[in-house]
Amino acid sequence: MSYPGYPPPAGTYPPQPGFYPPQAGGYPPQPGGYPPQAGGYPPQAGGYPPQAGGYPPQPGAYPPQPGSYPPQAGAYPSPLPTGTWGGGPSGGYPSTAPGSYPNPGYNAGMPGGTMPQQQYPGMGYPGQPGQTMSGYPQAPSPNPPMPGYGGAPSPNPSMPAYGGGAMPVAPSSNGVFRGTIKDFPGADPLKDVEVLRKAMKGFGTDEQAIIDLLGSRSIKQRVPLLRSYKTSYGKDLIKDLHSELSGDFRNLVMAMLKSPAELDASELHSAMKGAGTDEACMIEILSSRSNAEIKEINRIYKESYKKSLEDAIKSDTSGHFCRLLISLAQGNRDERENIDVSLAQQDAQALYAAGENKLGTDESKFNAILCARSKPHLRTVFYEYQKMCGRDIEKSINREMSGDLESGMLAVVKCIKNTPGYFAERLYKSMKGAGTKDRTLIRIMVSRSEIDMLDIRQEYVKNYGKSLYTHIHGDTSGDYRKLLIKLCGGND
């Protein structure tokens, strides 16, 4: 590689026939170069001749600029024009800040499995040119952090989302969008915040207007409303909504205005705050998120609560259950899709030897395999385990373990085996019997509405004989019920 103002290194090729002559003021060619090779192709009109070992010019490439250097042997071909298939988006790719990442597995707005329109810097909503997306890489946080709302002081919180590649969803989905909330076509955040402002202005609050708007916008359309509201009115949307709304409806609205990682970090903090620990919430989040999502949760947790997630887990749990949570919180699971059946058989034998086939249980072996192996691999391990010893892995865990460790290991296995089925069970238990576990209901309805809510609804009907819609309708009321029904997306 040569640099402007420096001579080319000794041993390089001299200019080939048909190239542009050396520019005035440049250094002469160095001795020792090879002579031009006979038999080369003549120069093509408007372009450089192909170099030995190099790729032929690509159709649609730009013609050479006067005074530029010829392509080097073995160099990469010219990039395809932007906006073409394989040529990259016309707006260019966003740069990713250290510690953040582009949205893994995000599949909102993918009816029929098509890719969503990415919101890159300079590709804002109509009426707001150039607005970057809050919660995505390189986007400043829309407002200062609010205690209890999962706000992060970072100027560029990234916005993970929980999509197809991140979770082991039902195989029948075949890459088709299975959520219930999609991007609203032509949504304009400046017009949206005007609707919200009008709903809260004056005497009383128009809750229906808030439900209609938030219930028809995807997460990547809702989060920018915080900054747009402050831009338009100089006020904090979270504070205004918090003062106007109340109860579970308010909690649901607050959850819908957080990025997925902010919501998860906030839920994990609440699960460990005060007397008692919501172990099921912690396992639910850490066993169902991708590596990239878990790393982002760790980052936001540290920024929001001035303590690492791992330290918080250590101070609130103990023993093998604590080790299980810490293992999951590393976000270091193998995420390759390929399956080695012979290795799966070895792992199945190792699990059998660590549990059913010995006096006592080697919990660390279960921990190592369940937390480190890929989800497709583990499904094969569970199948091989059942073939080998004639018993489900869940039954063996029930027999060999107890307490939080038993429920934690079972949750990890269920989530890996059938993610929609696992969340259907979590929703059913949140509404079963006297009282409703509203925090669980809100968290799952918000976090799964753009991923696999349609699959969860199918599992719900199949396993419990009634639709999720019917159960929500019978167990909740008022504006809270209306907005939950919007996230549910219909009856089955």
Side-chain angles (χ1 to χ4, degrees), residues 45-282:
Y48 291 109
Q51 300 298 304
Y55 291 95
Q58 302 299 310
Y62 290 101
Q65 301 303 309
S68 60
Y69 291 96
Q72 302 301 309
Y76 291 101
S78 304
L80 294 177
T82 57
T84 62
W85 180 255
S90 54
Y93 291 101
S95 56
T96 305
S100 66
Y101 55 90
N103 313 316
Y106 191 83
N107 58 5
M110 283 175 59
T114 57
M115 289 301 292
Q117 177 63 40
Q118 298 292 327
Q119 294 291 341
Y120 297 128
M123 294 175 64
Y125 287 95
Q128 196 162 5
Q131 174 170 333
T132 53
M133 298 299 294
S134 162
Y136 288 85
Q138 293 295 325
S141 180
N143 57 322
M146 290 292 296
Y149 301 139
S154 167
N156 60 342
S158 61
M159 168 84 133
Y162 307 140
M167 316 295 175
V169 295
S172 61
S173 62
N174 290 325
V176 177
F177 179 67
R178 299 295 291 163
T180 50
I181 300 293
K182 302 176 183 178
D183 287 348
F184 187 81
D188 180 349
L190 291 178
K191 291 178 181 174
D192 287 351
V193 296
E194 192 178 336
V195 171
L196 292 174
R197 176 67 178 156
K198 186 178 177 184
M200 293 184 282
K201 196 175 178 182
F203 182 73
T205 305
D206 185 354
E207 286 89 355
Q208 190 60 49
I210 295 171
I211 292 166
D212 291 340
L213 191 137
L214 294 182
S216 61
R217 300 292 187 272
S218 67
I219 183 64
K220 68 178 183 179
Q221 292 175 328
R222 295 194 301 263
V223 170
L225 299 180
L226 304 181
R227 188 171 62 180
S228 296
Y229 190 86
K230 188 166 282 189
T231 300
S232 295
Y233 306 109
K235 300 190 73 180
D236 192 303
L237 178 58
I238 294 289
K239 284 182 177 177
D240 282 3
L241 285 168
H242 197 270
S243 65
E244 293 288 332
L245 310 177
S246 61
D248 292 321
F249 178 54
R250 175 170 66 189
N251 294 337
L252 176 55
V253 168
M254 295 295 118
M256 290 180 71
L257 290 171
K258 291 185 178 84
S259 75
E262 286 174 339
L263 178 58
D264 285 343
S266 173
E267 290 293 291
L268 287 168
H269 182 254
S270 297
M272 295 181 278
K273 188 173 67 176
T277 304
D278 187 349
E279 294 88 356
C281 165
M282 297 171 72

Side-chain angles (χ1 to χ4, degrees), residues 162-163 166-169 177-181 284 288-289 293 415 419-420 423 427 442-454 456 487:
Y162 307 140
M167 316 295 175
V169 295
F177 179 67
R178 299 295 291 163
T180 50
I181 300 293
E284 173 202 305
S288 63
R289 306 320 192 223
E293 289 158 1
C415 187
T419 305
F423 281 109
L427 286 168
I442 289 170
R443 179 179 62 253
I444 296 175
M445 293 303 293
V446 172
S447 66
R448 309 308 295 187
S449 61
E450 295 180 39
I451 303 168
D452 54 0
M453 185 58 71
L454 294 178
I456 291 169
L487 293 172

Side-chain angles (χ1 to χ4, degrees), residues 391-461:
R391 183 178 290 124
D392 276 346
I393 186 76
E394 293 102 314
K395 287 192 173 78
S396 291
I397 290 171
N398 279 327
R399 287 159 56 98
E400 297 296 320
M401 300 177 192
S402 61
D404 292 336
L405 180 63
E406 177 192 355
S407 56
M409 289 281 187
L410 281 175
V412 172
V413 169
K414 287 177 182 178
C415 187
I416 288 168
K417 267 191 168 183
N418 181 355
T419 305
Y422 168 71
F423 281 109
E425 182 184 357
R426 293 281 293 148
L427 286 168
Y428 178 74
K429 288 182 176 178
S430 75
M431 294 181 281
K432 182 184 173 186
T436 304
K437 295 175 182 172
D438 293 289
R439 182 177 281 278
T440 301
L441 179 59
I442 289 170
R443 179 179 62 253
I444 296 175
M445 293 303 293
V446 172
S447 66
R448 309 308 295 187
S449 61
E450 295 180 39
I451 303 168
D452 54 0
M453 185 58 71
L454 294 178
D455 296 320
I456 291 169
R457 280 165 44 182
Q458 285 181 359
E459 292 288 331
Y460 204 96
V461 172

